[in-house]
Amino acid sequence: MAATKGINKLARGCVLVLATAFCGLSYAQAEPGVSENIRVNQLGFSPRSEKIALLVIQDAPVDSSRFVVRSAKTGNAVMEGALQVGRDKTWSGQRTLLADFSHLKTSGRYYLEISGPGDTEVIRSTPFEVGDTVFQDLATASLKAFYYQRASTELKEIHAGPWHRAAGHPDDKVLIHPSAANRARVANTIVSAPKGWYDAGDYNKYVVNSGITMGTLMSAFERYPDYFSTQSLNIPESQNALPDILDEVRYNLDWLSAMQDPTDGGVYHKLTTAGFEGMIAPHQATQPRYMVQKTTAATLDFAAVMAQASRVYAPYDAQGSKQYLQAAQAAWKWAQQHPAVHYRQDKLNQQFDPDITTGAYGDEQLADEQLWAAAELYLATGHTDFWRVISDAPLEYSLPNWADVRWLGYYNLLAHKDQLPQDSNRWRSAIEKNLVVAARELKEAGSKNAYRVPMLSDPKNFVWGSNAVAANQGILFLEAFRITGDQAFLNSAQATRDYLLGRNATGYSYVTGFGHKTPMHPHHRLAAARPDRPPLPGFLVGGPNPAQQDDCAYPSKVADQSYVDHVCSYASNEIAINWNAPLAYLANGLSAIENQYAESHSHHE
Ligand code: 9MR
Ligand code: 9MR
Ligand code: CA
């Protein structure tokens, strides 16, 4: 009897809170109702991964009830098990029951069913897949998203399908903003800086945020080159010899190159309209665009990206590689001479016209940018000057974000051990240890919350763009797995993917176009300008953010539930390149690893 007490309470509680199909059907007999209270990766699972689903309930039942996994095709039960009662409450005070069906390894389409006494209340999950190719489309789409963000070009239907569009933002007549003027380029000089990706839901192009984005994507390529070299994104460059991910990154590199002032090596902070454009299509968004103030942050990020590009593109384009390195060195030099030119938008607006009110990406802690640039320049040149900067830098782990890029450098130094100085073994083990300890602590903390996901180990993770915190945690786990070979880290990376795709407190799969309950109204001008079409697919929305800086109406203030799928909500429902890059790294990296396993597995059979 008591077995379904929790479920009974759930049924009642849920009528109040959510009008789900389950609530309507709670006393019906036949068709089990699909319940949003079952939280599971909505795409599914790789065959050998852990497989966990959570049922969210109001109170813990006295004893546990059971779950059944059924084939979606036949309805036949393929597995049964006991639901485990979670020790920890959710952050909004609910209980969870956990279904672990990791033993299910046979490919197929399934759903989870949970039943009460006398079969009066039966609920089920939406269907999900188990198989080797479950995440393939997601992996591709997370990169294709960058193609959709391209400025200065028409998107043809053969590449963009329903999201084809006219070219916008040629950016061949960009004005030097007075804040960026010097003798060679006086105010209102016209310069050209076409191509590149729109930053996010807005149409501006910001060097700092492009920096971490490109670094993350190039590192993804460097870790899994064989995997990426066979991947097609169906972009205009797909037929050439370069892997598609590098074609896509090069589209932004072409723009980034033009953000450097050729007369002194300094790099403009951003290319932007004075204020944000309306929610209109690119070709209709024609306000003047400006090059705004050179900054140290932009210049160091530029140096890091260009140095990494010189290494990554060398096998394909020797000439281009040389130019990237020269650009990186000129930027480094400028940054050494101007170590603290910060972007302070308010101050700038007191001095210059027009006022600039778009994204600031202001960061005044530049030791990490310095380290990242030094790391990439060291790997590109082998110069001991750069190594000296590295060996003086702090060693403690910090998860990357646009304002903290130190570990982009450390990840790459560790991935190129053979290029480190002879006497750097102690340094290297310290860095490796800090990485692995951080990953282990996060993994362990992640097993102590209601959803059993690393992201929910700390409410502080729920900042603007929290989903990218999760995705970057996924990268940390992949790095720890690469270094140690410990399967537990792979499990945590997969649990992070589960979190993003539905095993979470809102029941959303946060990637547009992927899953049953997924954002339909992102704060994305490309999508909002075309309300006749589904949102562009493959984009990770920012995610829960209790600070709610946009003042939109949210359903909850609880950190992991503070999300609303409304175009108003730029603080929880915007998309951004620096959020999609770690998603792409995680989704593709896991696919690369899982496919490798699939291959070696089938060889043994
Ligand atoms: O659309 C803008 C989005 O890309 C930014 O992330 C956000 C915060 O800087 O600002 C959005 O623009 C809004 C502006 O800040 C206030 N007025 C409404 C704008 C569009 O919704
Ligand atoms: O991701 C940025 C976040 O960390 C900041 O808190 C926020 C406010 O400054 O800005 C976010 O970046 C936005 C940028 O300023 C403008 N383009 C859209 C970006 C994502 O919302
Ligand atoms: Ca910084």
Side-chain angles (χ1 to χ4, degrees):
M1 278 303 114
T4 52
K5 198 173 141 208
I7 294 172
N8 266 318
K9 294 208 173 169
L10 163 72
R12 272 183 263 124
C14 142
V15 172
L16 297 171
V17 189
L18 289 165
T20 62
F22 164 56
C23 306
L25 286 171
S26 53
Y27 293 96
Q29 279 280 349
E31 264 296 276
V34 169
S35 173
E36 288 197 357
N37 294 313
I38 300 177
R39 303 293 160 76
V40 61
N41 186 321
Q42 294 171 24
L43 298 194
F45 301 91
S46 170
R48 280 159 295 280
S49 70
E50 279 187 350
K51 300 173 194 70
I52 286 174
L54 274 311
L55 173 64
V56 181
I57 55 174
Q58 293 307 335
D59 286 302
V62 174
D63 45 62
S64 60
S65 53
R66 297 183 69 76
F67 71 88
V68 184
V69 181
R70 294 188 184 279
S71 154
K73 204 154 120 204
T74 62
N76 292 343
V78 296
M79 200 190 142
E80 278 184 54
L83 290 169
Q84 301 164 36
V85 182
R87 278 169 307 157
D88 306 275
K89 288 189 176 180
T90 69
W91 291 349
S92 53
Q94 293 159 308
R95 290 281 178 184
T96 55
L97 297 177
L98 180 144
D100 185 342
F101 46 103
S102 303
H103 290 309
L104 177 64
K105 295 195 168 75
T106 313
S107 295
R109 197 170 163 78
Y110 306 95
Y111 62 89
L112 191 77
E113 190 179 284
I114 297 172
S115 51
D119 291 328
T120 46
E121 298 159 44
V122 183
I123 58 170
R124 66 173 176 187
S125 71
T126 50
F128 54 82
E129 309 253 353
V130 172
D132 285 323
T133 56
V134 172
F135 299 105
Q136 200 175 296
D137 289 348
L138 170 78
T140 309
S142 65
L143 284 168
K144 183 69 175 268
F146 290 89
Y147 168 73
Y148 291 125
Q149 291 293 99
R150 286 188 186 189
S152 323
T153 188
E154 178 194 2
L155 270 55
K156 295 219 168 76
E157 194 168 0
I158 43 163
H159 303 120
W163 299 283
H164 67 94
R165 60 173 169 87
H169 302 93
D171 284 342
D172 55 350
K173 294 186 187 63
V174 180
L175 300 165
I176 296 288
H177 188 261
S179 63
N182 62 7
R183 245 176 297 163
R185 290 179 161 189
V186 297
N188 294 319
T189 302
I190 290 175
V191 298
S192 178
K195 303 170 84 178
W197 303 309
Y198 299 131
D199 181 60
D202 64 322
Y203 291 139
N204 303 302
K205 305 191 288 197
Y206 308 86
V207 170
V208 165
N209 204 44
S210 254
I212 183 169
T213 304
M214 297 166 88
T216 301
L217 292 177
M218 286 190 283
S219 294
F221 170 77
E222 285 197 282
R223 299 300 181 273
Y224 313 101
D226 297 343
Y227 165 88
F228 282 113
S229 62
T230 62
Q231 182 183 54
S232 174
L233 300 178
N234 181 28
I235 54 178
E237 301 81 6
S238 282
Q239 304 313 318
N240 71 13
L242 203 59
D244 280 7
I245 184 176
L246 295 186
D247 279 313
E248 197 49 58
V249 170
R250 188 154 69 176
Y251 193 84
N252 204 52
L253 275 170
D254 288 350
W255 159 68
L256 191 64
S257 300
M259 293 303 285
Q260 185 171 43
D261 180 348
T263 67
D264 66 4
V267 176
Y268 303 108
H269 197 68
K270 54 178 170 174
L271 191 170
T272 181
T273 47
F276 286 111
E277 295 266 10
M279 303 302 276
I280 52 179
H283 67 280
Q284 293 167 329
T286 55
Q287 289 178 39
R289 309 255 282 178
Y290 297 91
M291 290 289 199
V292 180
Q293 197 196 335
K294 289 169 214 161
T295 65
T296 312
T299 305
L300 286 170
D301 282 340
F302 175 101
V305 166
M306 288 295 169
Q308 186 173 8
S310 77
R311 183 174 76 232
V312 170
Y313 288 80
Y316 309 95
D317 176 5
Q319 185 56 29
S321 160
K322 245 176 87 181
Q323 286 167 359
Y324 294 147
L325 185 56
Q326 281 163 3
Q329 284 167 322
W332 176 263
K333 205 169 142 203
W334 189 93
Q336 296 314 105
Q337 291 159 355
H338 306 83
V341 183
H342 300 311
Y343 191 69
R344 295 179 180 157
Q345 197 152 271
D346 293 344
K347 277 210 170 149
L348 182 141
N349 287 338
Q350 286 163 18
Q351 253 181 295
F352 304 108
D353 285 318
D355 280 8
I356 303 292
T357 56
T358 53
Y361 290 116
D363 173 15
E364 307 198 358
Q365 307 294 317
L366 301 183
D368 55 297
E369 282 75 13
Q370 166 107 355
L371 180 282
W372 182 33
E376 301 302 343
L377 277 159
Y378 173 75
L379 290 173
T381 64
H383 263 281
T384 49
D385 287 359
F386 298 120
W387 181 257
R388 240 169 273 132
V389 177
I390 297 164
S391 57
D392 281 349
L395 305 177
E396 78 274 12
Y397 184 79
S398 60
L399 195 78
N401 66 62
W402 63 261
D404 186 353
V405 291
R406 178 176 283 117
W407 277 78
L408 298 187
Y410 284 158
Y411 289 161
N412 280 341
L413 290 166
L414 289 180
H416 294 86
K417 284 186 208 183
D418 51 321
Q419 293 178 42
L420 302 183
Q422 298 283 318
D423 55 357
S424 62
N425 279 348
R426 276 181 59 194
W427 176 88
R428 181 170 58 78
S429 7
I431 292 285
E432 261 179 11
K433 181 170 164 244
N434 289 356
L435 187 158
V436 173
V437 167
R440 187 173 303 127
E441 285 174 2
L442 184 59
K443 172 177 80 66
E444 280 160 13
S447 66
K448 294 193 188 84
N449 59 71
Y451 295 88
R452 309 273 189 102
V453 289
M455 181 60 182
L456 292 174
S457 57
D458 190 347
K460 287 203 214 57
N461 291 334
F462 286 82
V463 295
W464 188 324
S466 64
N467 282 337
V469 174
N472 274 299
Q473 290 176 341
I475 295 177
L476 169 61
F477 289 128
L478 289 179
E479 288 294 292
F481 175 63
R482 198 174 53 78
I483 290 168
T484 63
D486 182 347
Q487 181 79 26
F489 291 127
L490 187 60
N491 293 344
S492 293
Q494 289 162 329
T496 299
R497 181 174 62 188
D498 291 343
Y499 169 81
L500 291 173
L501 296 174
R503 193 168 124 202
N504 60 48
T506 64
Y508 273 95
S509 163
Y510 291 116
V511 183
T512 55
F514 287 84
H516 303 278
K517 182 181 172 186
T518 176
M520 294 304 290
H521 310 286
H523 187 89
H524 188 190
R525 280 165 177 72
L526 292 174
R530 307 303 295 258
D532 54 317
R533 298 169 193 191
L536 292 88
F539 286 90
L540 182 66
V541 297
N545 168 19
Q548 305 185 355
Q549 293 92 335
D550 47 35
D551 293 325
C552 303
Y554 284 72
S556 170
K557 284 187 162 60
V558 177
D560 61 345
Q561 292 187 329
S562 182
Y563 167 76
V564 60
D565 179 20
H566 194 290
V567 66
C568 160
S569 183
Y570 52 77
S572 83
N573 205 32
E574 190 163 351
I575 61 90
I577 56 173
N578 63 313
W579 305 337
N580 248 71
L583 170 70
Y585 191 126
L586 178 63
N588 286 282
L590 278 175
S591 281
I593 294 165
E594 289 163 351
N595 289 347
Q596 214 173 53
Y597 279 176
E599 275 165 35
S600 57
H601 190 76
S602 56
H603 289 321
H604 291 303
E605 276 171 354

